[in-house]
């Protein structure tokens, strides 16, 4: 049974049983405590906790998930995968334990011909919470399970909570017996490899507080509304139904594994370590593809860092399998073909996804080359110092700064006959993890505070009137100070205010929040920020500038009209620039993020190379032509599917409901789904001035533009600069580029001549430097400050000449100079000095320490530098002091 068929059977079964089928939410979650949707219940948290009223009594879904906390286990076990799909059915105050158990048992054990999954009853075991006699009795009555196939576990295994005060409850897990070939008999209590968990039924029935740990908390009592939250692992069911040993061999994953086998020329099933690497490739390629499809881009932080790590682990695994050449083009295409039947967007948008993947691979292959060079130097220095172990700090630097995998560092070190100080490396990694955990805890605290919004959200959604009105009368529903609901706030306090209706736009869709005020009887509030802390609820962060604001008072929200108009100009200009980009570059140049504020827009788009000046001018001209044509800007609210049929662009990383707002500028020329504020006609944008274009990743570019009055002011400033230049240089405007180029060439020639004269002057010091040599123990030493120099290369040339003049003497040359207001010290040693154990590298480091910088190099020639040029005399003295006197 194919994976997609299992999912469809699940949805069909629950739809037949009156469940609303809910589409999968994005892998990118709104929850600030999480980077990704890590479990099927994440999108339903607002409904399960009661913060947002559930729009349906019962639902079912297939949810995409990403979980990377067990990334090191990927490929080693049958069930660990970073991307997985969770089948879930949900009840919000509707059916409870009996219903959940009846549905699960019927779907699992009904024959395939009847639409079920066809599991044999004898192969199924269950676990329940140790005190949940009700669940145990229901399993006996509904499923006819004997006592020996119902096992009881404690809170660690069979009790669910968010880890925060709120809803919680016991759970019951269903296990499949894979047979004696996979381990001993005796149920999941004996062996959880043979007995594989496939479905978890959570009975959310209690409210808890004072949560001290996962297993230590206080139960307040029963919830007024009891919920059901279930999760069945689609990949786990698939590998059982397909008769394979693990999730990597199922139909949605195996094609990538088989291609990796073919590319490597090795055999799957022959060598354990190779098998793990094949599985890592299969898993990580699929996970990366799915993350890319939800708008994540490789980067060095947050979600992008996780994606980058998955991709780089893939490259590393292929390298360890003997493949150094690029492979992403083939591997990602294989994953697309396997997953597209379930997720058609993978096929329709594949060019964009492939471009990002291939660009990241190319970048990492260059990183590997650079990292190998750095590592080669570390190997040489380690051997040169007579050591057999590379410092853990070096390995961590390679891993953390350059993205160079530790496994590869270990491999190269071993080939060189060295080891790596893993204790120090692991300690540094642990420090990094602790910092990450602290950050995660701070994010978790932020989401925990969202329970304070429950009572306000229960009153209904905040009505936004700002599309048509700049002032709206309402009333104060809530006041929060320091995250705590209070009845009032007084002059000077910073507070959050919640009203029933607002004209103020909450930050979303790339558009920043409105500026404005809220006034009422006896008080005025300056609006600092406007956000949506939970879906459907708008919260205004304000400073009470006069009087006292209290719950129940009348309130009028007033938008700063000039700021709103400028922000609307910028947002409409963003749509025009997007359309112009697609006109110029093609449909693959899709938006990957934006920021719109008064007078300014920033627009990221999928593209792999810098735009030429001609292309930027063309984009700017197309966008401004649209402004001059005074195109009508219209908005419509319609069903999501209807909007897509009309060609509206749904932008990646944005989340849409069943009903959407579509913004047209000039009809279909620019048609996007957008909740932002816009001008009425394109002429109101005024002017668009592209002021910047840069890279924001391997496959993403960014354009920046000024809009309206800000664009005019920028052009006026540039005109003033041109006027100044024409006057100062006494050159007509159209001849300015040639005149400036001529002056730049003259300046460069002059600088080159000065550098030549400086180098000559330095060279003329050689005889005096040699004559001034002194004896330090058995060494002939030349240590001198040359003054100002054109470059470090000039200083190095003098040092080498002086060293040559010392002939066969055991000599050390240490020359310092001020190069562009930064100190440089060059140390050179003769062969005779090196035979006495004198090395240039440590001497250069000693000088650099005094200069406030770093240094090093070969035994015969090294360089140090820093920031304090006045310390050059002391630095040279330190070199001499470091020399042996005997």
């Amino acid at each position: 049974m194919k994976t997609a068929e299992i999912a469809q059977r699940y949805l069909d079964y629950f739809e037949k049983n009156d469940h609303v089928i809910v589409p999968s939410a994005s892998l990118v979650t709104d929850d600030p405590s999480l980077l990704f949707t890590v479990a099927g219940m994440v999108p339903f948290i607002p409904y399960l906790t009661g913060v947002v009223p559930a729009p349906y009594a019962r639902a079912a879904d297939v949810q995409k998930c990403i979980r990377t906390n067990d990334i090191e286990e990927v490929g080693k076990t049958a069930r660990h995968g970073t991307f997985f799909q969770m089948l879930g059915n949900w009840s919000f105050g509707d059916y409870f334990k009996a219903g959940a158990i009846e549905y699960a048992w019927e779907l699992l054990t009904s024959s395939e011909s009847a639409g079920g999954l066809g599991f044999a009853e004898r192969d199924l075991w269950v676990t329940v919470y140790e005190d949940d006699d009700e669940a145990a009795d229901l399993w006996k009555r509904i499923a006819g399970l004997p006592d020996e196939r119902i096992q009881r576990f404690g809170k660690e295994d069979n009790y669910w909570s968010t880890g925060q005060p709120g809803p919680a409850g016991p759970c019951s897990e269903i296990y499949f017996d894979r047979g004696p070939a996979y381990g001993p008999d005796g149920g999941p209590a004996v062996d959880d490899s043979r007995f594989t968990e496939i479905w978890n039924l959570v009975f959310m029935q209690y409210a808890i507080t004072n949560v001290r740990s996962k297993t230590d908390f206080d139960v307040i009592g029963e919830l007024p509304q009891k919920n059901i939250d279930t999760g069945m692992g689609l990949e786990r069911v698939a590998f059982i139904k397909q008769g394979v040993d693990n999730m990597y061999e199922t139909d949605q994953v195996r094609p990538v594994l088989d291609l990796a086998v073919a590319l490597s020329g090795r055999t799957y099933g022959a060598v354990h370590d190779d098998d793990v690497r094949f599985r890592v490739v299969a898993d990580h390629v699929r996970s990366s593809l799915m993350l890319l499809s939800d708008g994540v881009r490789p980067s060095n932080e947050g979600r992008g860092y996780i994606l980058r790590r998955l991709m780089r682990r893939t490259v590393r695994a292929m390298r360890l399998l003997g493949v150094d050449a690029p492979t992403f083009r083939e591997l990602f295409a294989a994953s697309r073909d396997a997953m597209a039947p379930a997720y058609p967007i993978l096929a329709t948008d594949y060019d964009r996804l492939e471009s990002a993947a291939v660009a990241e691979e190319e970048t990492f292959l260059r990183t590997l080359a650079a990292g190998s060079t750095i590592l080669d130097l570390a190997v040489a220095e380690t051997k040169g110092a007579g050591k057999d172990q590379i410092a853990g700090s070096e390995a961590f630097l390679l891993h953390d700064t350059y993205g160079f995998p530790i496994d590869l560092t270990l491999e190269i070190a071993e080939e060189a006959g060295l080891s790596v100080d893993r204790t120090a490396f692991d300690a540094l990694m642990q420090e990094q993890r602790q910092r990450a955990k602290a950050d995660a805890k701070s994010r978790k605290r932020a989401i925990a505070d969202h329970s304070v919004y429950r009572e306000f959200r229960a009153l209904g959604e905040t009505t936004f009137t700002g599309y048509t009105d700049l002032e709206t009368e309402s009333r104060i529903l809530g006041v929060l100070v320091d995250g705590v609901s209070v009845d009032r706030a007084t002059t000077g306090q910073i507070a959050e205010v919640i009203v029933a209706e607002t004209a103020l736009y909450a930050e979303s869709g790339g558009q920043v929040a409105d500026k404005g005020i809220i006034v009422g009887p006896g008080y005025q509030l300056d609006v600092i920020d406007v956000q949506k802390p939970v879906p459907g609820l708008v919260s205004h962060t304000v400073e009470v500038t006069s009087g006292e604001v209290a719950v129940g008072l009348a309130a009028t929200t007033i938008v700063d009209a000039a700021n709103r108009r400028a922000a609307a100009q910028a947002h409409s200009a963003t749509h025009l620039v997007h359309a112009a980009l697609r006109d110029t570059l093609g449909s693959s140049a899709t938006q990957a993020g934006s920021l719109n504020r008064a007078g300014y827009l920033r627009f990221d788009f999928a593209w792999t190379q810098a735009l030429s000046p001609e292309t930027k001018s063309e984009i700017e001209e197309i966008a401004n032509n649209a402004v001059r044509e005074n195109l009508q800007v219209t908005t419509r609210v319609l069903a999501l599917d209807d909007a897509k049929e009309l060609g509206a662009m749904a932008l990646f990383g944005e989340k849409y409901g069943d009903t959407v707002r579509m913004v047209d500028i000039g009809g279909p020329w620019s048609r996007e789904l957008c909740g932002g504020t816009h001008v009425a006609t394109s002429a109101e944008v005024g002017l668009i001035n592209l002021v910047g274009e840069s890279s924001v990743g391997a496959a993403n570019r960014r354009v920046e533009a000024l809009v309206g009055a800000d664009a005019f002011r920028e052009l006026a400033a540039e005109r003033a600069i041109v006027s100044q230049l024409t006057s100062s240089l006494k050159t007509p405007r159209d001849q300015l580029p040639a005149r400036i180029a001529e002056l730049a060439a003259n300046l460069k020639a002059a600088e080159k001549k000065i550098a030549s004269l400086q180098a000559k002057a330095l060279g003329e010091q050689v005889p005096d430097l040699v004559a001034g040599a002194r004896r330090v123990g058995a060494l002939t030493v030349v240590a001198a400050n040359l003054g100002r120099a054109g470059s470090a290369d000039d200083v190095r040339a003098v040092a080498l000449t002086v060293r040559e003049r010392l002939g066969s003497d055991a000599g050390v040359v240490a020359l310092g100079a001020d190069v562009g207001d930064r100190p440089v010290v060059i140390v050179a040693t003769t062969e005779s000095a090196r035979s006495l154990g004198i090395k240039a590298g440590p001497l250069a480091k000693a000088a650099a320490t005094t200069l406030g910088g770093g240094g090093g190099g070969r035994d015969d020639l090294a360089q140090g530098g820093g920031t304090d040029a006045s310390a050059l005399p002391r630095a040279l003295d330190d070199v001499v002091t470091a020399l042996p006197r005997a």
Side-chain angles (χ1 to χ4, degrees):
M1 190 180 294
K2 299 290 188 184
T3 304
E5 182 186 349
I6 295 169
Q8 194 57 53
R9 282 172 178 259
Y10 185 92
L11 296 177
D12 290 345
Y13 173 81
F14 281 102
E15 185 173 34
K16 182 179 67 177
N17 284 284
D18 303 321
H19 289 65
V20 175
I21 303 304
V22 180
S24 174
S26 170
L27 289 168
V28 178
T29 175
D30 289 326
D31 188 336
S33 70
L34 301 169
L35 287 177
F36 297 114
T37 300
V38 296
M41 53 83 65
V42 169
F44 296 94
I45 287 177
Y47 310 146
L48 295 171
T49 57
V51 172
V52 177
Y56 26 67
R58 51 176 70 185
D61 70 333
V62 181
Q63 176 60 48
K64 301 178 292 184
C65 303
I66 284 280
R67 194 178 296 170
T68 58
N69 54 336
D70 291 328
I71 194 169
E72 299 298 337
E73 297 302 312
V74 171
K76 298 176 182 177
T77 71
R79 60 185 184 273
H80 279 100
T82 47
F83 172 82
F84 59 97
Q85 299 157 92
M86 189 63 70
L87 306 168
N89 59 286
W90 315 83
S91 166
F92 305 102
D94 192 0
Y95 61 85
F96 196 49
K97 287 184 186 178
I101 291 172
E102 285 171 355
Y103 288 139
W105 190 252
E106 182 179 31
L107 176 59
L108 286 173
T109 60
S110 293
S111 67
E112 293 183 13
S113 60
L117 295 177
F119 282 96
E121 295 184 11
R122 66 177 180 277
D123 293 331
L124 299 176
W125 293 58
V126 300
T127 64
V128 297
Y129 178 54
E130 57 191 357
D131 295 336
D132 194 355
D133 295 333
E134 180 186 7
D137 289 342
L138 286 169
W139 278 114
K140 294 176 189 176
R141 178 172 63 81
I142 294 169
L145 286 175
D147 287 334
E148 60 269 20
R149 299 225 314 271
I150 303 172
Q151 297 185 330
R152 295 180 182 247
F153 288 170
K155 289 179 180 175
E156 183 69 33
D157 298 294
N158 277 75
Y159 207 95
W160 176 90
S161 77
T162 62
Q164 304 292 332
C171 63
S172 180
E173 296 173 334
I174 306 171
Y175 288 78
F176 175 78
D177 180 4
R178 303 175 73 196
Y182 293 93
D185 201 355
V190 173
D191 190 305
D192 66 356
S193 294
R194 169 175 170 171
F195 297 87
T196 299
E197 179 201 338
I198 56 174
W199 205 342
N200 186 16
L201 315 179
V202 176
F203 311 128
M204 207 174 297
Q205 65 187 106
Y206 298 114
I208 62 172
T209 189
N210 298 327
V211 180
R212 295 169 288 276
S213 71
K214 180 179 178 180
T215 59
D216 186 13
F217 47 79
D218 298 331
V219 176
I220 302 172
E222 294 209 347
L223 293 170
Q225 175 180 293
K226 298 176 182 178
N227 301 324
I228 287 294
D229 155 14
T230 87
M232 177 159 67
L234 179 55
E235 282 76 11
R236 295 190 184 189
V237 176
F239 80 69
I240 291 170
K241 293 300 294 180
Q242 292 173 22
V244 295
D245 284 342
N246 53 65
M247 62 169 288
Y248 314 103
E249 298 174 13
T250 59
D251 62 299
Q252 288 187 341
V253 188
R254 182 66 188 247
V256 180
L257 188 152
D258 287 340
L259 180 56
V261 169
L263 292 171
S264 70
R266 301 190 185 184
T267 303
Y268 182 60
V271 179
H272 172 74
D273 287 349
D274 282 355
D275 287 353
V276 171
R277 290 162 189 152
F278 286 131
R279 294 168 189 159
V280 165
V281 170
D283 171 87
H284 287 8
V285 166
R286 183 172 78 142
S287 300
S288 299
L289 180 64
M290 298 306 296
L291 285 170
L292 287 168
S293 74
D294 272 354
V296 182
R297 288 293 175 272
S299 69
N300 287 328
E301 59 184 23
R303 298 180 179 97
Y305 174 76
I306 298 297
L307 173 57
R308 173 161 284 168
R309 186 182 180 202
L310 291 170
M311 288 180 159
R312 294 187 168 189
R313 278 173 58 89
T314 303
V315 174
R316 174 180 63 85
M318 290 302 293
R319 180 186 173 108
L320 294 174
L321 288 165
V323 183
D324 294 331
T327 59
F328 275 13
R329 201 175 298 277
E330 296 93 337
L331 293 172
F332 275 76
S335 188
R336 171 204 62 196
D337 294 343
M339 295 297 295
Y343 300 97
I345 191 175
L346 299 177
T348 56
D349 283 357
Y350 185 67
D351 288 348
R352 176 181 63 87
L353 309 181
E354 182 192 61
S355 175
V358 169
E360 179 62 19
E361 182 183 33
E362 291 172 350
T363 299
F364 186 46
L365 289 174
R366 290 194 296 269
T367 295
L368 285 177
S372 295
T373 302
I374 295 167
L375 183 54
D376 288 344
L377 180 61
V379 167
E381 289 184 349
T382 302
K383 286 185 170 183
K387 300 177 182 177
D388 59 4
Q389 189 176 66
I390 295 174
S393 57
E394 293 274 5
F396 181 76
L397 176 71
L398 281 163
H399 165 84
D400 195 52
T401 304
Y402 297 97
F404 202 80
I406 182 60
D407 288 356
L408 204 51
T409 300
L410 293 170
E411 177 190 342
I412 293 172
E414 185 178 359
E415 289 172 357
L418 300 174
S419 62
V420 175
D421 186 349
R422 280 304 300 267
T423 302
F425 174 82
D426 291 341
L428 290 167
M429 286 294 293
Q430 184 61 27
E431 288 177 17
Q432 186 188 62
R433 290 189 191 102
Q434 292 299 330
R435 289 192 294 271
K437 283 183 180 178
D439 182 55
K441 283 183 179 179
S442 69
R443 290 198 303 269
K444 187 169 283 189
R445 281 195 293 272
I447 193 63
D449 293 340
H450 283 188
S451 60
V452 76
Y453 299 109
R454 183 184 296 119
E455 63 179 287
F456 309 121
R457 182 59 181 81
L459 300 173
E461 294 192 20
T462 307
T463 302
F464 175 62
T465 63
Y467 290 133
T468 55
D469 302 320
L470 296 181
E471 290 189 21
T472 292
E473 294 183 359
S474 186
R475 62 188 177 89
I476 303 292
L477 299 180
V479 178
L480 291 82
V481 176
D482 295 329
V484 177
S485 181
V486 296
D487 63 350
R488 65 194 65 241
T490 59
T491 301
Q493 283 189 296
I494 302 296
E496 282 184 74
V497 168
I498 295 166
V499 296
E501 301 87 17
T502 183
L504 292 155
Y505 183 82
E507 180 179 359
S508 60
Q511 182 174 330
V512 301
D514 274 336
K515 294 180 179 179
I517 60 174
I518 302 176
V519 298
Y523 71 84
Q524 178 169 318
L525 316 175
D526 278 1
V527 177
I528 300 170
D529 194 13
V530 190
Q531 295 289 333
K532 296 177 181 177
V534 296
L537 186 74
V538 174
S539 174
H540 308 75
T541 301
V542 301
E543 180 182 358
V544 184
T545 53
S546 65
E548 181 178 83
V549 60
V551 174
L553 291 179
T556 301
T557 56
I558 303 173
V559 177
D560 180 327
N563 182 77
R564 163 69 78 79
R565 177 179 173 80
Q569 287 176 311
H571 205 151
S572 295
T574 297
H575 286 220
L576 296 177
V577 169
H578 190 188
L581 275 163
R582 290 168 64 80
D583 263 9
T584 307
L585 303 177
S587 60
S588 60
T590 52
Q591 181 174 336
S594 67
L595 174 67
N596 312 287
R597 64 169 184 258
Y600 170 85
L601 72 85
R602 187 183 75 203
F603 184 89
D604 296 349
F605 60 100
W607 201 249
T608 57
Q609 56 192 3
L611 303 183
S612 67
E614 294 77 16
T615 300
K616 284 186 286 187
S617 294
E618 183 179 357
I619 292 166
E620 188 177 57
E621 183 177 357
I622 291 172
N624 280 298
N625 281 342
V627 172
R628 288 191 291 274
E629 289 172 11
N630 197 25
L631 303 173
Q632 194 71 27
V633 180
T634 60
T635 61
R636 283 181 279 173
V637 176
L638 65 171
L640 176 60
D641 290 340
D642 292 341
K644 287 183 177 180
E645 277 189 25
L646 291 170
M649 292 198 62
L651 304 179
F652 296 97
E654 294 294 328
K655 299 172 180 64
Y656 303 101
D658 294 333
T659 302
V660 295
R661 182 170 180 262
M662 186 172 74
V663 177
D664 287 1
I665 304 180
W669 182 70
S670 170
R671 177 168 287 169
E672 298 186 19
L673 304 184
C674 179
T677 62
H678 290 273
V679 296
T681 65
S682 63
E684 294 179 33
V685 169
L687 182 66
I688 301 171
N689 179 12
L690 290 184
V691 294
E693 191 269 342
S694 58
S695 169
V696 286
N700 282 299
R701 306 294 298 179
R702 170 175 291 171
V703 292
E704 296 176 90
L706 297 176
V707 181
D710 290 77
F712 176 79
R713 281 190 286 269
E714 177 70 10
L715 291 172
E718 289 178 357
R719 182 177 61 189
I721 292 170
V722 170
S723 178
Q724 265 187 323
L725 288 171
T726 57
S727 175
S728 298
L729 300 178
K730 296 180 173 55
T731 302
R733 185 177 66 178
D734 60 345
Q735 296 177 24
L736 273 178
R739 178 61 176 147
I740 292 172
E742 179 188 357
L743 290 173
N746 291 341
L747 179 60
K748 188 173 182 179
E751 289 174 342
K752 189 174 181 180
K753 186 173 182 180
I754 290 169
S756 176
L757 291 171
Q758 285 179 327
K760 183 179 179 182
L762 289 176
E764 290 172 349
Q765 297 185 46
V766 169
D768 291 339
L769 291 170
V770 174
R774 51 179 159 154
R775 299 292 293 179
V776 177
L779 300 169
T780 299
V781 179
V782 176
N785 184 353
L786 302 182
R788 299 193 70 84
S791 70
D793 287 342
D794 294 341
V795 182
R796 186 178 296 107
V798 175
L800 291 173
T801 303
V802 172
R803 183 178 69 178
E804 185 179 347
R805 296 282 183 90
L806 295 180
S808 60
D809 287 356
V812 175
V813 180
L815 301 181
D818 183 338
V819 178
D821 295 325
R822 295 186 70 85
V824 170
V825 171
I826 303 293
V827 179
T829 59
T830 65
E831 185 176 350
S832 298
R834 293 193 294 278
S835 69
L836 297 176
I838 308 301
K839 299 176 181 178
L843 296 175
K845 283 186 179 179
T849 300
T850 304
L851 297 174
R858 304 191 308 268
D859 292 347
D860 64 325
L861 185 66
Q863 177 177 326
T867 57
D868 186 3
S870 67
L872 268 172
R874 285 189 290 113
L876 293 167
D877 288 344
D878 288 342
V879 173
V880 176
T881 302
L883 297 172
R885 292 302 193 266

